[in-house]
Amino acid sequence: MEQKSVEVLRLTSSETAALKPGVNLICREADNFVIYKDPKNPKDDPYKACRNICKHQGGNFVRDVEDPSCSVLRCTKHGWKLDCSTMKYVNPPESFSQDKLVPELDEDGSLALVELIPPEPWKVDARPPQDIKPGEVQLTFFAHACMELKLGDKTMFFDPWLTGPAFARGWWLIHEPPADWLDRLSRADLIFISNVNSRNPNYPTLTLLADKNPNIPIYVGDTAMPVFCKLQQSGVTLNRINVCSFGVWQEINADLRFMILMDGVHPDMDTCILVDYKGHLILNTVDCTQPNGMRLPRNVDIMMSDFAGGASGFPMAFSGGRYTKEWKERFIATERKKLLYYKTQVVRDVNPKVYCPFAGYFVEAHPADTYIRETNFKNSAEKLNTLINRYSDHIITWTPHPGATLDLARILDDTGDRRLAIVDPPPGTKIYKDSWDFGPYIDRINNCIGSEIFAYPDWIPVYYRWAGFRDYNLVLRMIETDDDFQSIEGGYDFLVDFLDLSFPRQRPAREHAYLEIKNRIGVHRQTVLKGLFWDDLYIGFNNRISRNPDTFHYKFWNHMQILLPQQPPDWASFLREQRKMHDGQPARAVWKPSRNNNFILFRLLQTLVPARALLVPGLVVFLATVYFFTSSKK
């Protein structure tokens, strides 16, 4: 298939002559556009143009009153700024380029804007829908973004996160998946995993799966950062990982095929999937920001997507300046509302017969993250479905519970009772979790704290040179902390100057951007030891960040979250060199959790909160007594 050219806007000769030098915002009933008229080059290639849509999350641009050049627009959603003279974003700096339209100036003085439409690969060998019988196509919700699809005699799973945490210890499942989830997952014919984040290839889940069926076929997109790039560090054995080119049908049998599509904002790591069973299409955009650049099939049978928001360290992990609790609450309320309307519009554009919001059922359950949990509220699936029904009442919406099943044939049968299409779990089924087994997972993380490499301060330059980020005018101060982000005696506190990748004792005298990050010591050291992406720290709410100026350094975060080397640092060689250099003696003591009152209190909280024992007043008094007693012994 070839791309095609479509004229999306035409201005008359008088309208074209009326364009002012600089930015022109053109509003039409169907769409809005940006036309930049170059004041310095009025004859040769004088126009640049794009749709008035921010590449981040689809917000609209307005003029930036702080821009004296009249070439910069500001997104109303997140404040991203687009320099229309170059069609590149200047905030975040060194990040994205805007998708441009092609200006064509005719001899009569009229101006046309032409869009190059990429191929729509699902139209290749398109198949008309065949009749299907009840029970032939069934979807069963498990948890978060995990759905089981029965497609004839094949069973397919999406993104199985079904036990343990994601993002180190920051995210925990809201729902209790069906009790037989592991048996059903291990018997699947194929599994799709959408991206590299730890809620998608969730290694606590995959560890159990690999023990039962290491040869299960798993399909991922051919992203620049492979979905399983950290498989070796996880210790999990999976033998049949299939990497698929984008936009190509993967034929499973005569009735079933699927294709993987990339995200328009994060094509190097994020994907979504389109499933075709006997001509019936099921679209799962997971949590892509702009799935397939927003070129999506219309009138599919079933669509699934994320809905909740709250899946970022911003603004929850930020402090200083404007980042007060009140500001965060206002920001989050506004953002969640914007997200609801954005998702509603995407669903209306796709126009599915059935829409199911999922990929958002997580909670910051650990007691140490109470502040995050109470402030970082999420959209509800019910609220999004209500909004969709208000504007598109012909779309059937489904808010799933674990174990609930949707039968596509019964949905499509206009003559039958559609209420039979959705079967909820039996009465008495446990839907929501009320306890989490924090201990084993956090102990595994904290076991990294005592690693010998941290006895030698030279781990710092070795790690950051391995990471490979440099030639950027940013100075980082990294501070290891306890769970409450308080500095700990014996933890590391150091500076990194990324301009020349040096490690100064004091901030340099030159003007520079400054980033201060406090990291929970266990997650920080696990990230360093295993060469993991910084998502565990940032998206897992395991750090606190302040910055001056208050600018998002896209290039830095993109590198540390996506572009780190796939293999961890060679710590074995490092230890051999350090032991030889220091005659086998550690250069400093390795910090370990102390047995002081704070640690005792934390372990008691960790043990009791999942069982809700803290609600018992007598135990509250007991904890206070323990705290007083241990404090008096110091």
Side-chain angles (χ1 to χ4, degrees):
M1 297 184 70
E2 297 181 355
Q3 68 178 8
K4 56 184 179 181
S5 301
V6 177
E7 182 179 298
V8 294
L9 176 71
R10 177 170 289 274
L11 300 181
T12 66
S13 56
S14 59
E15 289 174 326
T16 304
L19 293 174
K20 299 177 181 179
V23 173
N24 297 265
L25 301 178
I26 309 298
C27 299
R28 291 291 188 267
E29 184 176 345
D31 217 336
N32 299 323
F33 302 89
V34 176
I35 299 178
Y36 178 77
K37 184 176 181 179
D38 192 343
K40 299 179 181 178
N41 190 17
K43 293 184 179 180
D44 299 327
D45 191 24
Y47 301 108
K48 293 182 175 65
C50 66
R51 291 183 180 274
N52 190 342
I53 300 175
C54 179
K55 193 164 186 175
H56 181 216
Q57 283 193 0
N60 292 325
F61 290 108
V62 296
R63 298 181 188 278
D64 183 10
V65 295
E66 299 177 353
D67 172 45
S69 67
C70 299
S71 66
V72 175
L73 295 175
R74 177 179 58 82
C75 176
T76 54
K77 267 197 171 184
H78 297 106
W80 285 34
K81 294 186 178 184
L82 174 68
D83 185 347
C84 299
S85 66
T86 60
M87 286 295 166
K88 293 183 178 180
Y89 287 84
V90 293
N91 185 16
E94 301 186 61
S95 54
F96 301 106
S97 294
Q98 184 76 340
D99 296 329
K100 293 185 283 189
L101 302 174
V102 179
E104 294 182 352
L105 189 63
D106 288 351
E107 293 182 358
D108 63 358
S110 63
L111 178 68
L113 299 185
V114 175
E115 186 171 26
L116 301 178
I117 306 296
E120 298 176 324
W122 50 86
K123 293 184 177 179
V124 174
D125 189 26
R127 304 189 298 200
Q130 302 177 40
D131 290 337
I132 55 175
K133 300 176 181 179
E136 190 172 354
V137 177
Q138 291 184 327
L139 279 66
T140 303
F141 179 65
F142 274 53
H144 188 59
C146 182
M147 190 79 75
E148 177 192 59
L149 283 69
K150 179 180 179 296
L151 304 159
D153 61 355
K154 298 294 182 182
T155 300
M156 183 178 192
F157 269 83
F158 295 150
D159 285 319
W161 170 26
L162 296 166
T163 190
F167 299 111
R169 44 173 286 185
W171 291 29
W172 303 82
L173 292 168
I174 289 178
H175 289 128
E176 195 72 56
D180 60 347
W181 68 262
L182 183 56
D183 287 336
R184 292 168 71 170
L185 180 64
S186 63
R187 293 196 303 265
D189 295 289
L190 62 155
I191 296 172
F192 164 68
I193 295 181
S194 60
N195 65 55
V196 72
N197 286 331
S198 63
R199 67 187 180 275
N200 302 96
N202 177 255
Y203 287 106
T205 302
L206 294 178
T207 298
L208 299 177
L209 173 64
D211 289 342
K212 290 182 74 71
N213 186 2
N215 297 314
I216 194 165
I218 298 177
Y219 291 83
V220 299
D222 189 12
T223 47
M225 181 51 65
V227 169
F228 282 102
C229 60
K230 301 300 180 183
L231 185 64
Q232 179 179 337
Q233 291 93 309
S234 74
V236 174
T237 299
L238 295 168
N239 300 323
R240 296 182 63 187
I241 297 173
N242 304 277
V243 180
C244 304
S245 299
F246 291 117
V248 177
W249 287 119
Q250 307 296 319
E251 305 284 347
I252 303 302
N253 60 27
D255 297 326
L256 174 61
R257 60 184 182 174
F258 68 89
M259 68 170 59
I260 299 176
L261 304 169
M262 70 171 64
D263 183 34
V265 174
H266 299 292
D268 43 5
M269 63 165 286
D270 222 346
T271 69
C272 54
I273 188 170
L274 179 67
V275 178
D276 176 358
Y277 178 79
K278 290 188 175 181
H280 296 277
L281 298 181
I282 299 172
L283 174 66
N284 175 15
T285 63
V286 201
D287 51 7
C288 285
T289 304
Q290 285 193 359
N292 201 47
M294 298 312 296
R295 300 290 174 188
L296 298 172
R298 290 180 52 82
N299 306 317
V300 301
D301 291 87
I302 300 174
M303 177 183 178
M304 292 171 268
S305 79
D306 64 329
F307 68 93
S312 172
F314 185 85
M316 294 308 307
F318 285 72
S319 61
R322 61 176 172 166
Y323 298 109
T324 63
K325 185 173 185 293
E326 293 73 23
W327 184 91
K328 291 177 184 179
E329 289 173 346
R330 290 194 301 271
F331 177 87
I332 289 168
T334 301
E335 288 304 298
R336 300 299 179 265
K337 185 176 181 180
K338 289 178 181 178
L339 180 62
L340 282 176
Y341 281 95
Y342 176 61
K343 292 297 178 182
T344 299
Q345 187 57 55
V346 173
V347 173
R348 294 178 68 193
D349 289 344
V350 173
N351 195 38
K353 295 180 178 67
V354 179
Y355 171 69
C356 172
F358 77 158
Y361 295 108
F362 73 94
V363 62
E364 304 88 348
H366 193 272
D369 290 328
T370 299
Y371 163 73
I372 301 291
R373 182 173 67 254
E374 292 178 349
T375 307
N376 189 35
F377 79 87
K378 323 295 189 299
N379 288 327
S380 71
E382 293 86 352
K383 191 170 185 178
L384 176 55
N385 281 341
T386 298
L387 198 59
I388 291 169
N389 294 148
R390 182 187 305 168
Y391 294 104
S392 306
D393 58 4
H394 63 284
I395 296 176
I396 299 169
T397 54
W398 179 33
T399 304
H401 287 143
T405 298
L406 181 144
D407 191 303
L408 182 58
R410 295 187 184 279
I411 286 286
L412 299 178
D413 184 3
D414 294 333
T415 63
D417 187 352
R418 282 182 170 171
R419 290 176 296 180
L420 301 176
I422 296 174
V423 178
D424 287 323
T429 300
K430 186 175 182 180
I431 301 298
Y432 297 101
K433 283 183 171 290
D434 56 14
S435 65
W436 295 264
D437 191 10
F438 297 128
Y441 300 104
I442 294 180
D443 287 346
R444 195 173 300 127
I445 292 170
N446 287 343
N447 283 341
C448 298
I449 294 174
S451 172
E452 186 186 348
I453 75 158
F454 299 109
Y456 307 101
D458 283 349
W459 73 262
I460 298 170
V462 168
Y463 173 75
Y464 282 94
R465 287 166 186 158
W466 165 85
F469 184 76
R470 61 177 303 154
D471 301 322
Y472 191 85
N473 191 21
L474 172 67
V475 174
L476 167 69
R477 181 184 178 190
M478 187 69 77
I479 306 168
E480 291 186 324
T481 73
D482 62 15
D483 268 12
D484 296 322
F485 302 102
Q486 301 301 309
S487 297
I488 46 181
E489 184 178 354
Y492 278 93
D493 182 342
F494 57 89
L495 293 171
V496 184
D497 186 346
F498 288 107
L499 189 61
D500 58 1
L501 202 52
S502 61
F503 305 90
R505 293 184 178 274
Q506 296 180 334
R507 288 176 57 178
R510 73 173 192 278
E511 187 173 330
H512 59 270
Y514 179 67
L515 193 62
E516 183 173 292
I517 304 180
K518 297 179 178 180
N519 283 327
R520 286 176 172 156
I521 187 170
V523 182
H524 178 231
R525 293 194 177 183
Q526 176 181 259
T527 302
V528 169
L529 273 174
K530 298 186 177 182
L532 303 178
F533 298 121
W534 283 26
D535 277 354
D536 281 359
L537 292 160
Y538 181 67
I539 299 181
F541 310 109
N542 288 302
N543 57 21
R544 294 294 181 265
I545 300 168
S546 61
R547 57 193 185 186
N548 184 22
D550 187 12
T551 299
F552 177 50
H553 295 281
Y554 170 84
K555 191 173 184 180
F556 170 76
W557 286 106
N558 188 61
H559 187 98
M560 305 308 285
Q561 290 180 291
I562 299 176
L563 302 179
L564 292 177
Q566 294 183 31
Q567 298 300 318
D570 185 357
W571 294 123
S573 296
F574 170 79
L575 282 178
R576 285 195 295 270
E577 294 172 2
Q578 293 294 314
R579 289 166 181 164
K580 184 177 180 180
M581 186 185 309
H582 295 279
D583 296 324
Q585 298 299 314
R588 59 171 281 180
V590 177
W591 186 88
K592 295 182 180 180
S594 63
R595 294 289 165 180
N596 62 17
N597 54 328
N598 290 331
F599 181 75
I600 294 172
L601 186 62
F602 166 73
R603 295 300 291 184
L604 285 169
L605 286 169
Q606 187 183 60
T607 303
L608 295 173
V609 167
R612 299 183 176 179
L614 287 178
L615 297 178
V616 181
L619 286 175
V620 174
V621 175
F622 171 74
L623 289 175
T625 303
V626 170
Y627 182 86
F628 174 79
F629 176 77
T630 53
S631 296
S632 65
K633 292 291 185 181
K634 292 183 67 175

